[in-house]
Amino acid sequence: MWFKNLQVYRLPSPWNITAEALEAQLAAHAYQPGSGLEAQRLGWIAPREGGGLVHEVGRQLLIALRAEKKLLPASVVNQVAKARATELEEQQGFKPGRKQMKDLKEQVTDELLPKAFSIHRDTLVWIDPESGWLGVDAAATAKADEVLGLLHKSVSPLPLRPLHVIQSPAAAMTAWLASDEAPSNFSIDQDTELQAAGESKATIRYVKHTLDPEDIRRHIASGKQCTRLALTWADRISFVLTESLSIKRISPLDVLKENAEISGMNDDEIFDADMMLMTGELSKLLADLIYGLGGEQPA
C-alpha cells in the first residue's frame, strides 16, 4: 500500500484530533454516486474496504478521496451541436449566432451526460497527528488541491499550512550536484533535470545515466539549476525530489521489502503492518530531508 508520490503539508504537532472526531466530520461529505447531470462528484470513501472513513493504526490515520467524472469528450458535444445548428439554420433561415451556439452546446451536454460513462479516481491521504504531517499520494499539485479543498470543507478548524524550508530545494539540489555530495543519509542516483533561468528554459535531463560531475558543473556554471533529482535515503527508499518540494516515484528498496515479508497474517493484519512500516519510514525520511534543506521555517 506504499504511496507512489507525496505532497507534504504541515499540521500542529501534536494535532489533538481523534480518528472518531475526524470520521464524524468527514461523514457529511462521504462519497455518493453522482446523478446523471453531474459532470464530477467528490466524496470521502473508506481507505480499507469494509472499514470506516478513517483507518487508524498506532495513531497514524489514513483517509481516501474518490473523484467521479463523466467521460464526455468536447468533440462529441461539438459534433452533435453542429448538427443541431444546421437544423436550426434551416428553420430560421440564418446561421445561429454565438449565444445560440452556446445554448445549443449546453443543451447537448445536458442530454448526453446521463448516457456518458463514469470513471473514478481514489487518492489516499496520510495524517500523522503526533508529528504534524499530512501527505497526499498525488503526483500533481492540482490533485492534491482537490483533496485539500474538500478537506477544508469537511474539517473545521483545519490548521493546515504548506511546508516551508530554509533553503530552496532547487538551490540545495544544485549545490549537492556541484559538490557531488548529498546530505547525510542520502545518496544521489542517476536521474536529474537541470533547467536554465529566463525565457529559454533550456533543459538537460539525465535518465538512468551516470552523472559526470564535471559535465554537471559546466551546466551549473552556465546558469542552470537542478529542478528534479533522484535520491536514495538510508539505502531504504528511493525517490525523486522536485523544486516544489514534491516527492515522486517513491519506491521501498529490497531491505524494506525483505523486512516486510510476513507469514501467518490475514489481509487486514498485513495492511496494518504495511501502513505502520510506510508511515514510520516516511516520517524519518521527511525529518532527514528537512534537515538537509537547512531546517524548517518557523510558522
Side-chain angles (χ1 to χ4, degrees), residues 32-41 68 70 113-114 118:
Q32 298 291 336
S35 67
L37 293 178
E38 287 183 301
Q40 179 169 301
R41 171 167 285 211
E68 180 187 355
K70 290 291 185 69
L113 266 178
S118 294

Side-chain angles (χ1 to χ4, degrees), residues 94-139:
F94 56 89
K95 289 184 177 181
R98 183 175 298 177
K99 184 179 184 306
Q100 281 185 303
M101 284 303 301
K102 181 176 179 293
D103 291 343
L104 272 177
K105 288 183 179 180
E106 290 178 353
Q107 180 184 348
V108 168
T109 299
D110 289 344
E111 290 177 8
L112 295 181
L113 266 178
K115 304 174 185 177
F117 287 105
S118 294
I119 59 170
H120 67 258
R121 169 178 39 82
D122 298 340
T123 303
L124 289 172
V125 183
W126 158 50
I127 300 173
D128 181 349
E130 299 298 324
S131 300
W133 293 117
L134 186 144
V136 182
D137 186 2

Side-chain angles (χ1 to χ4, degrees), residues 189-207:
D189 293 339
Q190 294 185 317
D191 290 19
T192 190
E193 177 180 283
L194 297 106
Q195 189 175 89
E199 294 182 1
S200 72
K201 298 292 184 185
T203 302
I204 298 293
R205 292 188 181 92
Y206 292 81
V207 180

